[in-house]
Amino acid sequence: MIANHPETEQIRLENVLFALGNPLRLAIVRTLATEGEQACGALRRDVARSTMTHHWRVLRDSGVIWQRPQGRENLISLRRDDLNARFPGLLETLMEVMETRPEP
């Protein structure tokens, strides 16, 4: 497992909201919520690898995603259960709002 995954009880609302405050990170969460676990390469789009590494680190350190090594890539998944345990209804509400807005 990659370092810096906070324990469930360490996930803080202000960190989650900060992580979700960026349109690209929000789009990553939308993809993970609808399509499930993804390889990091599948989530890159037309963004530099170093930029994506930064965004994944923010999401990981805030407790929004899990990253785990798989061969030469990392697989990324949404920490849905942990987020629901800490902030019931937050993720579902966010997904409902995102359904009404176009993806960036």
Side-chain angles (χ1 to χ4, degrees), residues 15-70:
N15 295 342
V16 171
L17 294 176
F18 173 78
L20 297 176
N22 177 279
L24 181 56
R25 292 193 292 261
L26 200 53
I28 291 169
V29 169
R30 174 190 274 182
T31 299
L32 294 173
T34 58
E35 298 179 22
E37 186 174 62
Q38 300 285 310
C40 59
L43 294 169
R44 257 189 71 206
R45 305 175 186 217
D46 295 329
V47 179
R49 184 176 297 218
S50 60
T51 301
M52 289 306 296
T53 298
H54 165 74
H55 289 301
W56 293 323
R57 182 178 43 247
V58 171
L59 288 167
R60 183 188 65 233
D61 291 350
S62 67
V64 175
I65 65 168
W66 285 113
Q67 274 185 295
R68 65 181 179 91
Q70 179 75 29

